[in-house]
Amino acid sequence: ETVHEGSDSNTKHRVGMNISKSEITKETSLKPSRRSLPCLAQSYAYSKSLSQSTSLFQSTESESQAPTSITLISTDKAEQVNTEENKNDSVLRCSFADLSDFCLALGKDKDYTDESEHATYDRSRLINDFVIKDKSEFKTKLSKNDMNYIASSGPLFKDGKKRIDYILVYRKTNIQYDKRNTFEKNLRAEGLMLEKEPAIASHDIMFIKIHIPWDTLCKYAERLNIRMPFRKKCYYTDGRSKSMGRMQTYFRRIKNWMAQNPMVLDKSAFPDLEESDCYTGPFSRARIHHFIINNKDTFFSNATRSRIVYHMLERTKYENGISKVGIRKLINNGSYIAAFPPHEGAYKSSQPIKTHGPQNNRHLLYERWARWGMWYKHQPLDLIRLYFGEKIGLYFAWLGWYTGMLIPAAIVGLCVFFYGLFTMNKSQVSQEICKATEVFMCPLCDKNCSLQRLNDSCIYAKVTYLFDNGGTVFFAIFMAIWATVFLEFWKRRRSILTYTWDLIEWEEEEETLRPQFEAKYYKMEIVNPITGKPEPHQPSSDKVTRLLVSVSGIFFMISLVITAVFGVVVYRLVVMEQFASFKWNFIKQYWQFATSAAAVCINFIIIMLLNLAYEKIAYLLTNLEYPRTESEWENSFALKMFLFQFVNLNSSIFYIAFFLGRFVGHPGKYNKLFDRWRLEECHPSGCLIDLCLQMGVIMFLKQIWNNFMELGYPLIQNWWSRHKIKRGIHDASIPQWENDWNLQPMNLHGLMDEYLEMVLQFGFTTIFVAAFPLAPLLALLNNIIEIRLDAYKFVTQWRRPLPARATDIGIWLGILEGIGILAVITNAFVIAITSDYIPRFVYEYKYGPCANHVEPSENCLKGYVNNSLSFFDLSELGMGKSGYCRYRDYRGPPWSSKPYEFTLQYWHILAARLAFIIVFEHLVFGIKSFIAYLIPDVPKGLHDRIRREKYLVQEMMYEAELEHLQQQRRKSGQPVHHEWP
């Protein structure tokens, strides 16, 4: 290793910047990381120590194309170089494929697998250890890599060389050819290459294939601050401690067990994921020598190329005028009918993947992810991210994490349900209701209802006990804690993914303004305090005014939802009398169930119809606000859609849980709506069965409808498109871009619908889980199907979406946290008000047999049903009947001094309910806060590793620049210094 020596003054001057390599490698190391492996050996060394290892890697003279010169590698020629001439100039250059094997070889070396206190290395050791024994193996490896590149590069221009990065589609009969011509001319002026080709199946369709050349790629990669891998090797920072030997052995056993787990993916099936994890930095043409550029065609990934092209399409003018810009406006006015990046090829192959390998990444994703036979396998998140981008990769990572966390919640909920099932016949309340043959309940309606025996509610009482038993409170507390644990551990999971996918500093560097915002406020500019450059600015008064209009629109739509729920309530009141006198004996006997079921179905239809209007209104209100960036637009739109659909979906459930049967009055003095319709009462067994029915039906029907719209509808449309193509052509091969055109486009709002569906499901799973403990199980079963539905849809039924980047799930995390807080409050109210848990508790310890401290063998709830029913004199109804009927309430009997007034027990129960709500909320919120405090968002080891790598990146940039400067000095014949001149 070459040691840089300098004077003491120089040493003091470069503290913190020019630390010697030996000092860096001897520092205390961190937890092992795949990223911290050496990624490229590039150093100055004597030719004697490199004679064996570099004979196969001597490169030809690099082409001088400033500022985008590239070093092309040749493995067929090994030039003899003068020893004295190369004593200081020999450089080791390796390709991406060899670089991956090089990192793997280092990992297998004993110096990196032992358990010594400090594992260090020097540069010469790295180079000498990496010796290829056979040229033929190396050539074979390169040829295999080239074949993989060709298979995964996707469709090409007619010359068979230029890769197609984007597709534009228009109709020849469209008259707006002037806008298209101007737009395409400006695209060529920006550096893009365009090629037109007519469609085979339709003579009216024309495709424009777009290729972005190397120089244009470099220019826009620098503008967008895209991070690319360094040409400088990364330092080895992993430490080994003898005291960790036992722990490493333990984790090794777990890892070996995981390898045998049938849910784990076979790593050998993903050869394209065997890539090096190098340190990255913002791309710069002036410092292009810093980066690992083996092949210009593979340096920028397909996703990056498509992202850069879309950035250019969004900012290219098609007419004179500041607002006449962007491909989206051209699509809206009909100049173009579609714009999308092409798929890499077909997703099916006639040859099995096990023997012939994948044809492309799309084929690999289908075989190892989207097929229904892979439902039990883990998701290949790295490959998903590589093909669809980080934003979609994070969605599937979150969906998989949410599905996995539902497993313990579903198990506990199932246990609570089975506990109620096995103890149902032993329930004192159910037994008393089923044996009450001589107890008559007061009529539940005014005209057509008759007296009903209490034991007719026996089935309802048993079903209610399944969801309202001793485990209800425990399960509600468990789900509140579960929601917190789920969110906190997801934050940790997200931090690991953003680190692995190199997204730590992306948000600050690459967030750009929306073209609509720039076009609207281009005259009002202020200096950005971060970049120091002028940029469009929205005045505060304008922003507040637009927000007030948007908020007014939101409240109007919410009031419309409440009006629709009120209409359903009126329907229940009107149809209740009709069902009670219906001709069919089944409906007449179970008229309350028929009323609730019909109301649920009508409410579901109203929900689906209103959702169609909400989406358009939310889109208009969001555009009215003129958000600054795409992420702000998405967050604002997502918040509006969530508020609309959450209120739309849960308003009827809130009515049943907290209002149904609470303000009906009592026999002889019932409260009536508009002095006409008597308010609906709860069933003699309580209102919880109505709440369970409402939740179960809506959750089940909505999941079926969503799955059909996500997969069934695109399948039908794609089938019809293929059918029309087969009728129009015979024996003609369809190119990939035309097959993609016949697929369905991804919906206009991206992943918003996918997230919205899952977040609303999360609300169902947590908010009213005390009333429906099977909700987590239904959500788990749906999500197992949902993952494969979405995977199949993205891979086979949709055009390839733009591979967008993101660091998190956006505003949805805040919405999930808000739902977690709301769930604690609603479950406290459901247990205290909707269920009979508190009345039973008060009776058991205040009014029941156990209040007098009798023998513990006696059931403390004995006589509870009789105690919870009040008396009413039938002669007061004027129906010609005498005697007494019973109704659910705590009021004085007709013979008391204050008939039909609330008893003291009623006030005791009310006080107990309020006390329970306060204690429950404070207890659960305290536990949630404590758990959130104990679980940091970023693991400590990862936090230290990020800080360490930021430091090493600075060192690598410094040394790469110093070595480049020294090379220039040698070529010009100037003296070489080891410090900055």
Side-chain angles (χ1 to χ4, degrees):
E1 179 180 354
T2 303
V3 180
H4 301 292
E5 297 178 355
S7 61
D8 295 338
S9 61
N10 290 335
T11 304
K12 293 179 181 179
H13 176 71
R14 61 191 177 92
V15 171
M17 276 299 296
N18 188 23
I19 299 177
S20 65
K21 303 169 189 61
S22 59
E23 290 174 348
I24 294 175
T25 55
K26 290 181 181 179
E27 287 186 358
T28 304
S29 304
L30 301 175
K31 185 179 179 181
S33 166
R34 189 179 58 165
R35 278 187 63 171
S36 59
L37 286 175
C39 296
L40 181 66
Q42 179 184 355
S43 62
Y44 299 103
Y46 293 100
S47 58
K48 292 182 179 179
S49 63
L50 299 175
S51 58
Q52 296 181 352
S53 59
T54 60
S55 60
L56 299 178
F57 297 106
Q58 295 299 326
S59 63
T60 60
E61 292 292 324
S62 59
E63 300 177 3
S64 56
Q65 295 179 356
T68 58
S69 60
I70 303 303
T71 302
L72 300 178
I73 293 144
S74 173
T75 60
D76 298 327
K77 297 181 180 181
E79 298 182 356
Q80 288 294 99
V81 186
N82 192 325
T83 304
E84 292 296 326
E85 187 177 344
N86 283 288
K87 190 170 184 179
N88 295 320
D89 295 333
S90 58
V91 177
L92 177 64
R93 299 181 176 92
C94 59
S95 67
F96 272 119
D98 305 318
L99 184 57
S100 175
D101 295 335
F102 173 59
C103 295
L104 295 176
L106 289 174
K108 296 177 182 178
D109 187 78
K110 64 180 181 180
D111 290 341
Y112 297 94
T113 58
D114 63 3
E115 298 177 359
S116 59
E117 184 175 355
H118 297 288
T120 60
Y121 68 97
D122 57 35
R123 293 183 176 184
S124 60
R125 175 59 182 271
L126 291 179
I127 299 172
N128 289 330
D129 284 347
F130 184 54
V131 179
I132 297 181
K133 298 180 179 180
D134 190 359
K135 286 186 178 182
S136 61
E137 294 179 3
F138 180 64
K139 291 181 179 179
T140 303
K141 193 177 300 182
L142 279 181
S143 62
K144 182 180 179 180
N145 182 53
D146 293 339
M147 290 172 62
N148 289 336
Y149 160 67
I150 292 172
S152 63
S153 61
L156 304 173
F157 271 31
K158 291 181 180 178
D159 60 5
K161 297 179 180 179
K162 299 181 183 65
R163 181 190 307 178
I164 299 176
D165 298 307
Y166 227 86
I167 296 291
L168 302 181
V169 188
Y170 69 90
R171 297 187 184 277
K172 299 177 184 178
T173 54
N174 186 275
I175 61 175
Q176 303 191 46
Y177 52 85
D178 291 336
K179 295 180 180 179
R180 287 197 302 270
N181 291 339
T182 304
F183 185 70
E184 293 165 14
K185 180 180 178 181
N186 291 336
L187 288 179
R188 292 188 179 95
E190 286 293 325
L192 295 179
M193 301 181 69
L194 279 63
E195 183 180 76
K196 293 186 178 181
E197 184 169 335
I200 296 177
S202 175
H203 299 292
D204 189 35
I205 300 297
M206 178 67 74
F207 295 100
I208 300 179
K209 299 173 286 185
I210 299 177
H211 169 76
I212 179 168
W214 169 255
D215 292 340
T216 309
L217 267 174
C218 293
K219 179 175 67 174
Y220 276 91
E222 184 175 4
R223 288 184 184 181
L224 298 177
N225 287 326
I226 294 178
R227 301 180 68 88
M228 301 303 294
F230 282 160
R231 193 172 183 83
K232 187 71 177 177
K233 77 175 180 66
C234 50
Y235 290 97
Y236 190 75
T237 59
D238 295 351
R240 303 292 195 271
S241 175
K242 293 181 179 179
S243 60
M244 295 295 292
R246 295 181 180 177
M247 188 65 67
Q248 288 178 348
T249 303
Y250 174 73
F251 283 117
R252 191 178 296 114
R253 292 177 180 176
I254 295 179
K255 186 176 181 180
N256 293 335
W257 175 83
M258 288 295 292
Q260 302 173 359
N261 187 353
M263 298 177 66
V264 176
L265 289 166
D266 184 10
K267 296 297 182 181
S268 62
F270 297 93
D272 291 337
L273 300 183
E274 299 288 342
E275 59 183 10
S276 59
D277 280 325
C278 300
Y279 293 120
T280 59
F283 182 79
S284 172
R285 288 177 291 175
R287 296 182 175 181
I288 197 170
H289 52 274
H290 289 185
F291 300 94
I292 306 172
I293 305 178
N294 170 52
N295 190 323
K296 291 188 297 183
D297 295 327
T298 58
F299 180 59
F300 293 101
S301 65
N302 286 355
T304 303
R305 297 171 67 97
S306 299
R307 198 158 51 242
I308 292 176
V309 172
Y310 181 76
H311 176 85
M312 299 174 66
L313 293 175
E314 275 289 274
R315 283 155 180 80
T316 301
K317 289 186 178 181
Y318 57 87
E319 277 184 353
N320 293 329
I322 191 66
S323 62
K324 307 297 184 179
V325 59
I327 184 64
R328 278 191 287 187
K329 288 190 175 181
L330 286 172
I331 293 177
N332 291 336
N333 63 32
S335 299
Y336 294 95
I337 55 179
F340 54 89
H343 279 293
E344 293 183 0
Y347 66 88
K348 284 186 177 181
S349 174
S350 58
Q351 299 173 339
I353 190 173
K354 292 184 178 180
T355 57
H356 292 78
Q359 290 186 341
N360 48 68
N361 285 333
R362 187 189 185 194
H363 180 212
L364 183 60
L365 279 171
Y366 175 76
E367 291 291 339
R368 302 302 184 190
W369 179 49
R371 286 194 306 111
W372 291 104
M374 309 299 291
W375 67 270
Y376 62 95
K377 291 285 188 180
H378 293 171
Q379 299 185 91
L381 295 178
D382 289 335
L383 187 59
I384 297 171
R385 170 244 180 176
L386 179 68
Y387 193 81
F388 292 110
E390 287 81 0
K391 192 171 186 178
I392 294 177
L394 274 175
Y395 163 71
F396 281 104
W398 176 83
L399 181 57
W401 185 261
Y402 172 45
T403 304
M405 289 294 292
L406 278 173
I407 295 176
I411 292 174
V412 176
L414 200 60
C415 291
V416 171
F417 178 80
F418 278 116
Y419 169 78
L421 183 64
F422 292 142
T423 60
M424 181 172 55
N425 295 326
K426 300 179 181 179
S427 171
Q428 181 66 29
V429 177
S430 300
Q431 290 179 3
E432 291 184 0
I433 290 177
C434 293
K435 294 178 181 179
T437 57
E438 301 299 327
V439 177
F440 292 90
M441 302 298 295
C442 296
L444 295 178
C445 58
D446 292 335
K447 297 180 180 180
N448 301 318
C449 298
S450 58
L451 297 178
Q452 181 182 0
R453 296 181 184 271
L454 181 59
N455 65 333
D456 292 342
S457 304
C458 179
I459 297 178
Y460 291 97
K462 291 182 177 181
V463 174
T464 301
Y465 181 77
L466 293 176
F467 307 102
D468 185 13
N469 51 63
T472 302
V473 178
F474 163 76
F475 188 55
I477 296 176
F478 171 82
M479 287 302 297
I481 297 174
W482 172 87
T484 301
V485 172
F486 159 65
L487 292 177
E488 293 301 321
F489 275 101
W490 162 247
K491 294 176 184 177
R492 293 170 64 90
R493 173 65 173 161
R494 183 200 67 84
S495 65
I496 294 174
L497 286 175
T498 53
Y499 166 78
T500 305
W501 293 349
D502 196 26
L503 298 171
I504 297 297
E505 299 178 358
W506 172 79
E507 184 175 2
E508 297 179 359
E509 297 174 353
E510 299 190 34
E511 189 73 9
T512 56
L513 300 178
R514 297 180 71 235
Q516 294 83 353
F517 182 86
E518 292 179 317
K520 178 69 175 178
Y521 299 103
Y522 71 97
K523 294 182 179 179
M524 294 165 281
E525 291 186 343
I526 62 171
V527 177
N528 190 310
I530 306 300
T531 62
K533 299 178 181 178
E535 65 177 24
H537 171 69
Q538 184 180 17
S540 301
S541 58
D542 182 75
K543 186 174 184 178
V544 171
T545 303
R546 293 179 181 277
L547 284 177
L548 288 177
V549 174
S550 180
V551 170
S552 301
I554 292 174
F555 277 108
F556 172 76
M557 294 305 299
I558 291 177
S559 62
L560 183 62
V561 174
I562 297 175
T563 303
V565 174
F566 180 77
V568 175
V569 172
V570 173
Y571 163 80
R572 293 172 67 110
L573 301 181
V574 173
V575 80
M576 181 174 58
E577 297 275 355
Q578 305 300 324
F579 281 165
S581 59
F582 209 74
K583 295 181 180 180
W584 295 352
N585 292 330
F586 177 81
I587 294 181
K588 185 176 182 180
Q589 183 177 0
Y590 301 101
W591 61 270
Q592 280 187 300
F593 175 80
T595 301
S596 299
V600 169
C601 295
I602 293 175
N603 186 50
F604 177 76
I605 295 174
I606 294 176
I607 288 173
M608 294 294 103
L609 293 177
L610 288 178
N611 283 344
L612 299 177
Y614 292 157
E615 184 174 347
K616 296 181 179 179
I617 294 175
Y619 187 79
L620 293 175
L621 292 176
T622 306
N623 286 335
L624 181 65
E625 297 174 5
Y626 280 97
R628 181 173 174 272
T629 62
E630 286 295 335
S631 61
E632 291 180 6
W633 189 95
E634 291 177 0
N635 290 341
S636 178
F637 181 76
L639 180 60
K640 293 179 180 61
M641 286 299 298
F642 170 75
L643 290 176
F644 291 160
Q645 295 211 19
F646 181 81
V647 175
N648 189 25
L649 201 63
N650 292 280
S651 54
S652 60
I653 299 177
F654 272 89
Y655 163 75
I656 293 175
F658 305 125
F659 296 98
L660 180 62
R662 308 297 170 193
F663 311 102
V664 296
H666 61 84
K669 195 179 180 180
Y670 284 113
N671 298 322
K672 294 187 177 183
L673 183 65
F674 304 132
D675 292 330
R676 182 177 180 181
W677 295 298
R678 173 180 160 183
L679 297 181
E680 188 178 2
E681 289 186 67
C682 292
H683 199 270
S685 299
C687 294
L688 199 64
I689 187 65
D690 294 309
L691 181 60
C692 294
L693 178 65
Q694 184 83 6
M695 289 186 61
V697 171
I698 289 182
M699 190 173 185
F700 180 74
L701 291 179
K702 193 171 189 305
Q703 288 178 351
I704 292 179
W705 175 259
N706 289 338
N707 291 337
F708 170 76
M709 293 303 296
E710 286 184 8
L711 184 61
Y713 185 66
L715 276 174
I716 295 174
Q717 286 187 315
N718 291 336
W719 172 83
W720 180 246
S721 298
R722 292 192 300 268
H723 179 68
K724 290 192 297 184
I725 292 174
K726 290 180 179 179
R727 288 191 306 175
I729 61 174
H730 302 283
D731 300 331
S733 60
I734 305 297
Q736 181 61 47
W737 52 86
E738 190 164 349
N739 285 328
D740 293 347
W741 156 247
N742 293 320
L743 296 177
Q744 296 302 307
M746 187 177 180
N747 56 63
L748 183 62
H749 313 302
L751 293 171
M752 194 279 302
D753 291 338
E754 314 297 331
Y755 276 116
L756 181 61
E757 178 187 354
M758 290 296 103
V759 169
L760 292 174
Q761 183 202 86
F762 180 80
F764 262 93
T765 306
T766 55
I767 292 179
F768 292 101
V769 73
F772 193 54
L774 292 180
L777 178 62
L778 293 180
L780 174 62
L781 297 177
N782 175 79
N783 287 6
I784 293 175
I785 300 174
E786 180 74 21
I787 291 177
R788 302 304 155 184
L789 278 179
D790 287 346
Y792 187 82
K793 176 178 61 180
F794 271 94
V795 174
T796 68
Q797 301 303 311
W798 277 2
R799 298 173 193 162
R800 187 177 185 179
L802 178 69
R805 306 196 80 186
T807 57
D808 53 28
I809 61 175
I811 198 174
W812 299 110
L813 182 61
I815 293 176
L816 290 171
E817 291 177 338
I819 290 177
I821 295 174
L822 181 63
V824 177
I825 301 173
T826 53
N827 281 303
F829 276 87
V830 167
I831 295 173
I833 297 177
T834 310
S835 74
D836 289 338
Y837 177 80
I838 298 300
R840 291 198 302 264
F841 182 83
V842 173
Y843 177 82
E844 186 174 357
Y845 293 100
K846 181 65 177 177
Y847 297 95
C850 296
N852 299 324
H853 305 286
V854 297
E855 299 83 2
S857 60
E858 189 172 357
N859 196 312
C860 295
L861 288 177
K862 186 177 181 180
Y864 166 75
V865 174
N866 183 65
N867 177 264
S868 64
L869 300 177
S870 299
F871 288 89
F872 179 76
D873 190 356
L874 287 174
S875 60
E876 298 182 17
L877 292 178
M879 298 173 59
K881 296 182 180 180
S882 60
Y884 298 99
C885 66
R886 312 294 293 272
Y887 61 97
R888 282 174 56 89
D889 212 341
Y890 293 93
R891 296 178 181 269
W895 56 84
S896 64
S897 58
K898 296 181 179 181
Y900 309 124
E901 295 290 333
F902 289 119
T903 62
L904 183 62
Q905 186 176 355
Y906 170 83
W907 300 109
H908 285 167
I909 293 174
L910 180 62
R913 282 173 169 167
L914 296 177
F916 175 83
I917 292 172
I918 295 173
V919 172
F920 182 88
E921 289 181 355
H922 283 70
L923 175 64
V924 176
F925 279 135
I927 297 174
K928 284 169 66 72
S929 301
F930 182 68
I931 292 176
Y933 172 77
L934 290 180
I935 305 175
D937 294 347
V938 180
K940 186 179 184 304
L942 178 60
H943 179 71
D944 294 339
R945 191 183 306 162
I946 293 172
R947 294 180 59 191
R948 171 69 170 171
E949 291 187 3
K950 285 183 178 180
Y951 166 75
L952 291 179
V953 164
Q954 295 176 355
E955 290 298 316
M956 293 178 201
M957 293 290 290
Y958 165 77
E959 292 189 0
E961 191 67 26
L962 181 60
E963 291 174 0
H964 179 67
L965 182 60
Q966 289 173 351
Q967 287 182 0
Q968 292 179 343
R969 285 179 175 271
R970 291 188 187 95
K971 292 179 180 179
S972 61
Q974 298 179 3
V976 177
H977 299 283
H978 297 299
E979 303 297 333
W980 287 100

